[in-house]
Amino acid sequence: VQLVESGGGLVQPGGSLRLSCAGSGRVFSFYNLAWYRQAPGNQRELVAEINTGVGSRQTKTYAESVKGRFTISREESNDIVSLQMNDLKPEDTAVYYCNAHVGEINYWGQGTQVTVAS
């Protein structure tokens, strides 16, 4: 599985960005998908995760720091997982990584930089 992120950039505080991650191999439906981020000097942290469930069986979890501002979604037909980020804050500045995982198997994208600054 190859994961390619896009959509990062520079945005002012209070602005919005949408990150997308495209996967290869038509296997997205088998994997739980997530977005992580890593700021300079910090460990990589989980931002949001969405499981393989459909309809009422689908669950989404978010870091406390992004609840109410970020939304994760997945498009099975296009093998895309997105992260809509609203009301961005300077502390959201980081490299954001797409992740696909099931069991002990993990795949990572190359990361995309998000910078929130005025």
Side-chain angles (χ1 to χ4, degrees), residues 19-113:
L19 305 182
S20 294
C21 173
S24 63
R26 288 285 182 183
V27 294
F28 254 28
S29 60
F30 298 107
Y31 292 86
N32 300 305
L33 304 173
W35 286 94
Y36 284 74
R37 68 186 180 187
Q38 187 168 19
N42 291 355
Q43 290 187 333
R44 191 172 296 188
E45 64 173 355
L46 177 66
V47 176
E49 182 176 17
I50 185 168
N51 71 348
T52 58
V54 178
S56 61
R57 294 180 179 269
Q58 186 177 84
T59 61
K60 303 177 183 181
T61 57
Y62 297 92
E64 283 296 323
S65 59
V66 307
K67 278 184 179 179
R69 300 188 298 123
F70 290 11
T71 302
I72 189 171
S73 60
R74 60 192 296 165
E75 302 173 36
E76 303 292 352
S77 60
N78 295 311
D79 282 349
I80 292 174
V81 58
S82 298
L83 185 68
Q84 177 66 41
M85 305 186 294
N86 298 327
D87 190 23
L88 282 159
K89 307 175 186 296
E91 51 265 40
D92 294 318
T93 295
V95 178
Y96 284 70
Y97 296 91
C98 177
N99 169 270
H101 62 279
V102 59
E104 299 298 317
I105 300 173
N106 268 282
Y107 294 101
W108 294 92
Q110 82 286 354
T112 185
Q113 177 70 46

Side-chain angles (χ1 to χ4, degrees), residues 3-21:
L3 305 175
V4 179
E5 300 103 333
S6 61
L10 172 64
V11 64
Q12 292 187 341
S16 298
L17 281 176
R18 185 177 182 86
L19 305 182
S20 294
C21 173

